[in-house]
């Protein structure tokens, strides 16, 4: 296994991800815990992450001596390189030219670190983000790569197997970065590369057991992929010490609540409390049309209901959440500087700290696609694993204007037809998200010989890789025509269908 020592970079988890992709198990520890970890166990290799501090300032994080005393290969990345250089007797100074973003690395010497990745003399794109730089190397090191802003962009001591790179090999903007990390952990570190999601599952099950002991865990289940996978994994670890609470806010899609209950209570036999709070939510939303007000009401009420239910389970000490790594990064950067709130996302996973329960977050290390892989590994049906994302406030933000029971039913019916057509056309998996929106607009139509005056339904479908940017999906006119006809014929209350061809930006995926 590989130890990743964290100096506070925003992208430390990406190092872990790249190591996992190389088939090697890794653990991340904060820099000030590294010594204790190394006293108890010896990894095959150590990676030092980047970080926001400056090593030439006092009081900033240092690399403990234990790291270099362990006698295993070490790779320092960015701040990690500087911390290694400082610890071993070299020099780090504030850079004259700061380098941020794309840069060119020139490979000036061969080294085991670049074995099979770069040849001497090669120039390669790398991603830099540093103000300080190494200016003098410790004994035994030589420069193997240079860039405009960093004379020691890559350094190596092949005898002691100590390496440093000023650039970030863990990000995708360093195209050969993953190969460098793989070379380091496998060829230099001698790790086998046979680690898999099956082993993650096993290790995580052990970790949950030792964290929870004989305690009781409550888990908020939403029917989405993340909370489903978290619940299954925890259930595998501790069986009926887990109770799931499914707060049904009445804003779910057609048959969704039923499917969740059938799968978890019926099929998996997981203790599940199904709270039908739909009337309470609808009452609270009565007359509300502002999107942010809707989100706040739903978020607050969700927590209220969840707390009421979990208090009934008197001896619960732990709260399970399906927090993913991107949630962790976003919540860190959210406090790191001013940013404009476009939408105050209410996420059903986001429960308050005031609950005084200890958190169990088995997916904290994983990215969405890895969670899906773990879900498959756990035998979760494909219809759950491959689901499109669905917002916490549900259909409330797909009905611009006031929400009523009648509108919810109309929207559910139209949405179900749309998704059925998408599935029948074999398009579901190529689309990131598809849904119907019920507009608060009535228009005139003619059906048979009669005049109609009904709602407009907008259809939305986008492609995306992360939800941050998106393109509208290019359906055939044939598909759109067929779907519109079905919706108008089968759903009472809709007499006109339009297709939304806005990208994000400038639009957003949801209409509210
Ligand atoms: P937007 O509409 O901001 O959506 O382009 C990006 C992604 O976030 C989802 N979304 C939400 N998810 N609570 C959530 O849990 C929310 O309030 C919320 N608003 C938008 C949206 O469905 C898309 O996947």
């Amino acid at each position: 296994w590989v130890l990743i020592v964290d100096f506070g970079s925003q992208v430390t988890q990406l190092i872990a991800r790249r190591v996992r992709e190389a088939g090697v198990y890794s653990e991340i520890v904060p820099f000030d815990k590294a010594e204790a970890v190394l006293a108890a166990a010896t990894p095959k290799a150590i990676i030092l992450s980047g970080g926001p501090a400056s090593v030439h300032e006092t009081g900033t994080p240092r690399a403990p001596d234990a790291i270099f005393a362990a006698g295993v290969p070490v790779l320092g990345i960015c701040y990690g390189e500087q911390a290694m250089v400082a610890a071993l007797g070299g020099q780090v100074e504030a850079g004259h030219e700061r380098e941020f973003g794309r840069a060119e690395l020139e490979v000036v010497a061969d080294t085991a670190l670049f074995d099979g990745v770069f040849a001497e003399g090669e120039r390669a794109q790398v991603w830099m983000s540093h103000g300080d730089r190494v200016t003098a190397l410790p004994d035994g090191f030589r420069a193997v790569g240079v860039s405009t802003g960093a004379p020691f962009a890559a350094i190596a001591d092949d005898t002691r197997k100590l390496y440093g790179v000023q650039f970030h090999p863990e990000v995708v903007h360093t195209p050969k970065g993953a190969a460098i990390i793989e070379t380091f952990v496998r060829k230099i570190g001698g790790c086998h590369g046979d680690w898999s999601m099956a082993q993650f599952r096993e290790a995580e099950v052990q970790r949950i057991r030792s964290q929870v002991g004989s305690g009781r865990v409550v888990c908020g289940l939403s029917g989405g992929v993340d909370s489903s996978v978290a619940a299954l994994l925890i259930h595998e670890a501790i069986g009926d010490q887990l109770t799931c609470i499914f707060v049904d806010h009445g804003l779910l899609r057609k048959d969704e609540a039923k499917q969740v209950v059938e799968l978890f209570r019926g099929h998996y036999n997981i203790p599940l409390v199904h709270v039908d709070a739909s009337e309470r939510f609808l009452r609270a939303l009565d007359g509300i049309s502002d999107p942010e007000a809707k989100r706040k009401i739903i978020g607050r009420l969700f927590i209220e209901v969840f707390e009421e239910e979990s208090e009934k389970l008197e001896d619960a000490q732990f709260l399970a959440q399906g927090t993913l790594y991107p949630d962790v990064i976003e919540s860190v950067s959210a406090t790191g500087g001013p940013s404009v709130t476009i939408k105050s996302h209410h996420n059903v996973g986001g429960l308050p700290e005031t609950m005084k329960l200890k958190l169990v977050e088995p997916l904290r290390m994983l990215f969405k696609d890895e969670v899906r892989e773990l879900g498959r590994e756990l035998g979760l049906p494909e219809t759950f694993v491959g689901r499109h994302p669905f917002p916490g406030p549900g259909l409330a933000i797909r009905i611009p204007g006031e929400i009523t029971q009648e509108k919810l039913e109309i929207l559910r019916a139209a949405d179900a037809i749309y998704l059925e057509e998408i599935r029948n056309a074999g398009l579901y998996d190529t689309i990131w998200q598809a849904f119907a929106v019920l507009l608060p607009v009535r228009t005139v139509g003619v059906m048979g010989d009669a005049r109609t005056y009904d709602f407009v339904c907008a259809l939305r479908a986008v492609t995306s890789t992360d939800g941050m940017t998106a393109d509208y999906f290019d359906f055939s006119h044939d598909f759109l025509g067929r779907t519109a006809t079905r919706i108008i014929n089968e759903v009472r209350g809709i007499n006109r269908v339009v297709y939304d061809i806005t990208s994000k930006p400038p639009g957003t995926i949801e209409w509210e």
Side-chain angles (χ1 to χ4, degrees), residues 104 124 146 160 219:
E104 195 180 65
V146 300
R160 286 188 290 172
C219 177

Side-chain angles (χ1 to χ4, degrees), residues 251 282 285-288 294 396 399 401-405 407-408:
L251 304 164
L282 267 188
L285 288 166
D286 190 31
I288 305 292
K294 287 180 184 174
I399 300 178
E402 292 175 22
I403 301 155
T404 63
Q405 189 64 47
K407 285 184 186 171
L408 279 167

Side-chain angles (χ1 to χ4, degrees), residues 292 295 342-348 389-394 397-398 432-433 435 460 466-468 470 504 507-512:
E292 284 302 282
R295 280 193 173 78
I342 307 292
K343 300 181 186 186
S344 58
H345 281 200
H346 152 63
N347 191 313
V348 284
F390 185 69
I397 57 167
R398 294 178 178 173
W432 166 266
Q433 235 173 321
F435 53 89
R460 180 86 164 130
D466 52 13
M468 306 295 284
K504 173 183 180 176
T508 54
I509 296 175
E510 303 288 347
W511 276 47
E512 293 203 322

Side-chain angles (χ1 to χ4, degrees), residues 127-187:
W127 190 262
M128 292 278 191
S129 176
H130 67 109
D132 297 348
R133 61 181 189 177
V134 174
T135 51
L137 293 182
D139 288 344
F141 278 88
R142 60 206 169 89
V144 293
V146 300
S147 75
T148 325
F152 301 110
I155 60 174
D157 176 344
D158 280 304
T159 318
R160 286 188 290 172
K161 299 190 178 171
L162 304 178
Y163 302 91
V165 289
Q166 186 58 71
F167 58 90
H168 287 270
E170 69 275 33
V171 305
V172 292
H173 314 286
T174 300
K176 294 249 184 116
I180 295 173
I181 290 176
E182 180 170 351
T183 300
F184 177 71
V185 297
R186 296 193 45 188
K187 290 191 188 157

